[in-house]
Amino acid sequence: MKDKFKEFLFEEIVLRDKGFLRGPFGGSLKKEIFIPKSDSAYKVYEQGVVLRKNITIGDYYIEEEYFNKTMYRFEVCPGDFLVSCSGANYGAIFQMPLNIEKGIINQALLRIRLNKTLIDDSYFNYFFSHHLVNQIIGKKGDSTIPNFPPVKVLKKLNIKIHSSVIEQKKIGEVLSNLDAKIKVNNKINAELEEISKTIYEYWFVQFDFPDANGKPYKVSGGKMVYNEKLKKEIPEGWQDKTIADWIEKDKSGDWGKESAQGNYTEQVSCIRGADINGLNGNGEVKAPERFILEKNRHKLLENGDLIIEISGGSPTQSTGRMAFITQETLERFENPLICSNFCKAVTLKDETYLYNFVYQWQRLYDAGVLFGWEGKTSGIKNLLFESFVTNYKTVFPKKDIVEKFYQKIKPIHAKKQKNLRENQKLADLRDWLLPMLMNGQVTVKEAKEHINQAAEPQEDYNLR
């Protein structure tokens, strides 16, 4: 086993010439030197590119002449690794793809170029983000702000890697395949969500739901009636109702205790506002485990419940983010679910109106309507929930159309939640395998066996 690994200084696995390079400091990139984007301009890559793994972020450019004269040392090339060097997310790493704009790094980034005869790109990416950063944390930087240590400190870090680049490639491939499976599921989910939104818009905004003959209602001459309260035409037989008219009851949140104590014995996973996007499939869910009073079990979330964030938000993000619970959602968690006391759970009078409520609420949220229904307490924004739901009027569709929509959308969301459950399993497996592969406790062959056991078979999904 010893022969399979070799120790290096970090500086030995990067290129001798500018293998490590921190972005320019001081006045080298003052605002007055920035110019509009053009074919000859050079982009200034910033932290957001790394943190969000998106090369399109950023609008700062410098002239070609200034690049050639002063900034050429900081050029970014395809395949370079960029590392975030300051702030709460220091240590994040991203490898630049082939299709980048010509450009340079800014002062918040470190550029790393590897010696490919000693280390594989993919292997390094996982090794750095899951192993090396832990060594770096605690090393002293040159600022009181959370910061990467100086390059001279990084260069002298002792590291141990597989001596065979071929073996490194195999390990990187195994881990990359896991992430690729997660990306495929995320792509499928994004497409399914787009389909659902399109159907909702077509049926309940444009009013072209299938009529008795299966033709689009409004464009086929379906009768429309002007509604005075909504100030628009709606299909005959549809009504206006407040949002409160849709709701049967609501449940307040709970925070409980960090550990079991006294009567706090019911173990739960607590959904916070920060988990709502992840619950919907846009990011991670890191719901903390808490213990609540047995008498508060009535607050547990059930199939069909909706979670609404009532406190929080930001100047650019209103309160009112929402997620909904299905049986498939509940199956993603080992514990029963509850929402935090910064959220509220609501249950509808009729479950078949669930997806109408979800997409209607999301449209209002995306349009910024909820900014107008916020108050402040001790500097924290609060959604004026009761006032909003009892006063805001919406279109209330006929039951038969709602049932058709429910039956069409329900399997789509079941598939989405199944994919999210698989992603969670794959991510957990990746995080378990990574250190085991890096230190030789698990072979590549054994890792593949674990992956085959964890992956669920993909299904063709047909909406017809």
Side-chain angles (χ1 to χ4, degrees):
M1 183 66 69
K2 247 184 181 181
D3 296 334
K4 292 185 178 180
F5 293 89
K6 189 171 181 181
E7 291 189 358
F8 294 93
L9 294 177
F10 198 177
E11 66 181 349
E12 294 177 309
I13 66 165
V14 302
L15 295 180
R16 289 182 179 276
D17 182 27
K18 302 184 185 71
F20 282 111
L21 188 67
R22 184 77 183 264
F25 284 90
S28 301
L29 292 175
K30 291 181 179 179
K31 285 187 178 180
E32 52 264 32
I33 71 165
F34 295 134
I35 62 171
K37 180 178 179 178
S38 69
D39 290 340
S40 61
Y42 279 73
K43 180 168 181 163
V44 180
Y45 286 100
E46 54 193 75
Q47 257 185 323
V49 170
V50 175
L51 300 182
R52 293 167 59 185
K53 301 189 186 309
N54 183 346
I55 61 173
T56 66
I57 289 173
D59 297 310
Y60 294 113
Y61 289 83
I62 59 173
E63 292 180 342
E64 185 175 18
E65 181 181 355
Y66 187 60
F67 168 82
N68 290 332
K69 183 179 179 181
T70 309
M71 294 283 109
Y72 61 90
R73 293 192 308 116
F74 304 101
E75 184 176 14
V76 176
C77 296
D80 284 347
F81 285 93
L82 303 187
V83 179
S84 170
C85 293
S86 63
N89 293 303
Y90 75 87
I93 188 169
F94 176 57
Q95 186 175 25
M96 299 298 277
L98 295 176
N99 59 328
I100 62 171
E101 296 180 70
K102 58 187 180 182
I104 63 170
I105 52 175
N106 75 359
Q107 70 274 12
L109 295 173
L110 168 73
R111 189 192 69 201
I112 297 177
R113 289 179 178 167
L114 300 178
N115 180 346
K116 304 296 180 66
T117 65
L118 294 178
I119 192 161
D120 172 69
D121 280 356
S122 184
Y123 178 89
F124 173 78
N125 189 41
Y126 289 104
F127 180 82
F128 182 94
S129 57
H130 292 265
H131 275 259
L132 207 54
V133 168
N134 290 331
Q135 288 188 48
I136 292 168
I137 291 173
K139 302 290 183 184
K140 297 299 181 184
D142 48 11
S143 170
T144 56
I145 300 172
N147 209 328
F148 242 39
V151 169
K152 64 183 179 182
V153 175
L154 293 177
K155 286 182 177 181
K156 301 304 177 183
L157 283 177
N158 287 302
I159 61 174
K160 182 189 288 187
I161 60 175
H162 279 73
S163 55
S164 167
V165 176
I166 294 174
E167 187 67 16
Q168 292 175 16
K169 286 181 183 292
K170 291 178 181 178
I171 290 171
E173 183 180 337
V174 165
L175 298 170
S176 295
N177 285 344
L178 277 170
D179 281 331
K181 289 176 186 288
I182 292 172
K183 285 182 181 178
V184 167
N185 282 343
N186 287 337
K187 182 180 180 182
I188 291 171
N189 279 4
E191 292 171 350
L192 291 174
E193 182 61 18
E194 192 60 36
I195 289 168
S196 299
K197 284 183 178 179
T198 299
I199 296 172
Y200 174 82
E201 293 281 330
Y202 193 57
W203 285 24
F204 299 102
V205 178
Q206 300 177 37
F207 305 125
D208 276 326
F209 52 88
D211 65 12
N213 300 312
K215 295 183 178 179
Y217 179 86
K218 186 176 179 180
V219 299
S220 299
K223 187 173 181 181
M224 302 291 290
V225 179
Y226 185 78
N227 184 284
E228 286 288 346
K229 293 178 181 176
L230 298 173
K231 305 299 182 187
K232 66 180 180 181
E233 287 190 334
I234 61 175
E236 184 179 38
W238 289 28
Q239 304 173 55
D240 63 83
K241 289 193 177 185
T242 66
I243 294 176
D245 290 329
W246 300 57
I247 297 172
E248 174 71 29
K249 62 180 179 179
D250 61 59
K251 295 182 274 195
S252 60
D254 200 340
W255 189 235
K257 302 289 185 182
E258 188 175 348
S259 59
Q261 52 187 277
N263 294 325
Y264 290 85
T265 57
E266 299 296 314
Q267 188 171 8
V268 297
S269 292
C270 190
I271 304 296
R272 307 155 302 166
D275 298 308
I276 285 177
N277 288 343
L279 207 61
N280 290 329
N282 302 312
E284 292 183 296
V285 177
K286 297 182 177 179
E289 291 189 346
R290 308 289 293 182
F291 291 83
I292 65 169
L293 295 168
E294 184 177 2
K295 69 176 185 179
N296 286 344
R297 284 184 57 83
H298 66 278
K299 296 182 178 182
L300 295 179
L301 299 174
E302 301 171 290
N303 182 21
D305 282 348
L306 301 112
I307 307 168
I308 298 170
E309 181 186 36
I310 57 172
S311 293
S314 72
T316 57
Q317 174 186 291
S318 74
T319 51
R321 287 186 296 176
M322 188 200 65
F324 61 97
I325 303 296
T326 64
Q327 186 57 41
E328 292 80 14
T329 313
L330 296 171
E331 291 169 1
R332 287 168 59 186
F333 298 85
E334 293 182 6
N335 300 319
L337 297 184
I338 199 165
C339 64
S340 78
N341 42 23
F342 273 33
C343 297
K344 181 188 289 288
V346 301
T347 305
L348 302 182
K349 293 177 180 177
D350 187 337
E351 185 186 338
T352 56
Y353 280 79
L354 173 66
Y355 300 114
N356 288 82
F357 190 95
V358 167
Y359 287 108
Q360 175 181 253
W361 186 282
Q362 192 60 49
R363 286 188 83 248
L364 297 175
Y365 183 86
D366 291 343
V369 170
L370 283 94
F371 277 114
W373 297 86
E374 290 184 323
K376 271 192 174 182
T377 305
S378 302
I380 298 175
K381 294 199 301 177
N382 297 298
L383 178 64
L384 304 174
F385 179 81
E386 296 300 331
S387 180
F388 175 60
V389 300
T390 55
N391 287 283
Y392 198 90
K393 292 274 188 178
T394 62
V395 177
F396 192 79
K398 287 178 68 176
K399 174 79 170 176
D400 59 333
I401 302 303
V402 170
E403 286 181 338
K404 288 180 182 178
F405 183 68
Y406 180 81
Q407 294 303 325
K408 199 171 199 61
I409 302 302
K410 184 177 181 180
I412 294 179
H413 279 282
K415 172 62 177 170
K416 283 183 62 181
Q417 291 296 325
K418 182 181 178 182
N419 286 343
L420 292 172
R421 186 174 70 241
E422 183 185 23
N423 280 359
Q424 192 170 308
K425 288 168 60 180
L426 292 172
D428 289 344
L429 179 59
R430 177 202 61 208
D431 294 343
W432 177 78
L433 282 175
L434 197 149
M436 309 287 273
L437 285 165
M438 292 294 175
N439 62 29
Q441 287 181 266
V442 169
T443 65
V444 168
K445 181 180 178 182
E446 290 168 338
K448 289 179 178 179
E449 290 172 356
H450 284 291
I451 292 169
N452 290 335
Q453 292 170 9
E456 298 179 20
Q458 289 292 334
E459 306 170 2
D460 288 332
Y461 194 83
N462 196 327
L463 286 174
R464 291 178 293 178

